[in-house]
Amino acid sequence: MGSNYLPSNPFEFQNMMHDIRNKASVNQTQWDISQTAITELDMPIADFDAAVAISENPETRTAASIAKRELARKNLEKVGRPFIQGHLMNNRRVTADELKAMGLPVRDLHPTPVPDPDEAPELEPAPDTAGVVKIRFRRVAGRAKPRGVKTIEVCMLVSDNSAPPTEWTELHESVLATRSPMRIIRGGHERSKWLHLAGRWVNTRGVKGPWSDIISVVIP
């Protein structure tokens, strides 16, 4: 739910903030929330209540009253969001069921670990402009990167020989990319030579997956 857990509808938002304030008051001791923190909600809630009463009344609903309601909402959120996040969502005394009852998201305290990459990417190198090779990369099974993968590492070697190396350790240069396609820029003296390359996924923990096959392309 991220930061968008507060309803956009003014009545739903109003009811939610009243419910949160009331439940915090009832559970003040159990949740270890100070009375001062709870009382700080009262004035912004009262101001928003007054603004809603005017803006949602057909006889007093104007562009100005709606703008005043939106300003009152912003002022309430400035106080309400820190209260919700500090005293409720990040409060271990508040149970998941109690958060759900208030319409609040439940934090995942035991997130699923990011897996190690277990597949090789598919590379499609092609001549681009002078001295530039464009490389498209993707999963063999689809376009998206595997779950938990942040970047691709491409290692390469420029050679006069069209035959690719047999060992990945011979690919001495390394570059990283997060988006496909990536572009490899070489010097003018390397034009018409062979660029041998291979790639592997790297996850958000820096763990590297298996290599792709070594493939070759002529530098344009």
Side-chain angles (χ1 to χ4, degrees):
M1 295 180 73
S3 61
N4 298 322
Y5 53 83
L6 297 178
S8 58
N9 180 279
F11 291 119
E12 293 178 6
F13 175 67
Q14 182 182 34
N15 291 336
M16 183 181 191
M17 293 307 301
H18 275 277
D19 186 49
I20 286 172
R21 198 270 182 227
N22 292 337
K23 284 186 168 65
S25 182
V26 170
N27 297 282
Q28 177 185 347
T29 302
Q30 180 182 338
W31 293 349
D32 192 24
I33 303 176
S34 71
Q35 184 59 49
T36 299
I38 296 173
T39 302
E40 287 179 352
L41 295 171
D42 291 345
M43 184 68 73
I45 288 177
D47 289 344
F48 184 69
D49 287 346
V52 168
I54 296 173
S55 68
E56 303 309 305
N57 184 336
E59 296 182 0
T60 55
R61 182 180 176 86
T62 63
S65 68
I66 294 173
K68 187 175 181 179
R69 183 199 70 202
E70 291 305 299
L71 178 59
R73 178 186 174 117
K74 289 181 181 179
N75 291 334
L76 177 51
E77 285 195 29
K78 286 180 183 178
V79 178
R81 283 188 184 275
F83 179 87
I84 291 169
Q85 292 166 7
H87 294 289
L88 301 177
M89 290 170 56
N90 293 313
N91 185 348
R92 293 185 179 273
R93 294 171 179 263
V94 183
T95 68
D97 287 341
E98 288 169 333
L99 289 173
K100 291 177 182 177
M102 292 181 282
L104 298 175
V106 177
R107 293 179 61 218
D108 185 1
L109 300 178
H110 303 285
T112 303
V114 172
D116 293 348
D118 60 359
E119 60 184 90
E122 183 177 85
L123 305 183
E124 290 185 0
D128 194 21
T129 56
V132 179
V133 173
K134 179 168 64 177
I135 304 173
R136 298 186 182 277
F137 57 87
R138 60 176 178 269
R139 297 181 69 181
V140 174
R143 293 184 178 181
K145 291 180 286 190
R147 188 174 78 83
V149 163
K150 181 180 181 181
T151 59
I152 187 173
E153 178 187 29
V154 174
C155 290
M156 68 197 78
L157 170 72
V158 176
S159 172
D160 294 319
N161 191 344
S162 62
T166 57
E167 297 293 337
W168 291 279
T169 54
E170 297 180 60
L171 306 175
H172 301 301
E173 295 185 57
S174 174
V175 293
L176 299 174
T178 58
R179 293 185 178 181
S180 177
M182 63 186 297
R183 285 174 169 79
I184 305 298
I185 302 174
R186 308 304 306 186
H189 64 286
E190 294 176 322
R191 296 183 66 185
S192 298
K193 293 187 177 183
W194 287 88
L195 181 68
H196 307 293
L197 51 92
R200 56 185 174 181
W201 298 119
V202 184
N203 72 9
T204 54
R205 295 184 287 110
V207 177
K208 299 177 180 181
W211 284 110
S212 69
D213 290 333
I214 300 175
I215 54 180
S216 307
V217 62
V218 175
I219 301 171

